[in-house]
Amino acid sequence: KRFREPKHERRPWRIWFLDTSKQAIGMLFIHFANVYLSDLTEEDPCSLYLINFLLDATLGMLLIYIGIRAVSSLVEWQQWESLRFGEYG
């Protein structure tokens, strides 16, 4: 995926790794939650994965958006330069 980015906008390897590792950790969490829930409920793991994915893609994204907006507002209000989102220094 990194090589699909335009050369002049391509993130350095370290930044790219930090961004993609967050996604991998989230996918691992969803996978293990799905395995755990399928053992508890004896439901089909595939249907539980679909439900988990849909909840993560809707409610999860909404909660993340609200959280990022709240933290960004706090960072701007307190003028904490080192905590700004997307600025890696």
Side-chain angles (χ1 to χ4, degrees):
K1 181 179 175 185
R2 182 179 185 276
F3 296 111
R4 303 285 297 170
E5 297 174 352
K7 267 194 171 181
H8 62 282
E9 295 177 15
R10 198 173 286 167
R11 297 168 286 176
W13 280 105
R14 180 173 172 253
I15 305 297
W16 179 84
F17 176 75
L18 291 172
D19 289 343
T20 55
S21 64
K22 289 182 272 187
Q23 294 172 359
I25 291 169
M27 289 186 297
L28 278 173
F29 179 76
I30 292 260
H31 172 72
F32 286 116
N34 182 46
V35 169
Y36 178 72
L37 289 174
S38 66
D39 281 344
L40 284 181
T41 61
E42 298 186 12
E43 291 286 327
D44 177 33
C46 293
S47 63
L48 283 177
Y49 179 79
L50 179 63
I51 291 169
N52 283 339
F53 177 77
L54 291 175
L55 286 174
D56 183 46
T58 55
L59 295 177
M61 291 302 289
L62 179 64
L63 289 174
I64 289 171
Y65 175 76
I66 292 169
I68 287 176
R69 296 294 294 188
V71 170
S72 292
S73 296
L74 179 65
V75 166
E76 289 296 323
W77 179 60
Q78 293 292 328
Q79 297 179 353
W80 293 329
E81 298 295 322
S82 62
L83 295 178
R84 290 180 191 239
F85 284 104
E87 295 184 21
Y88 299 104

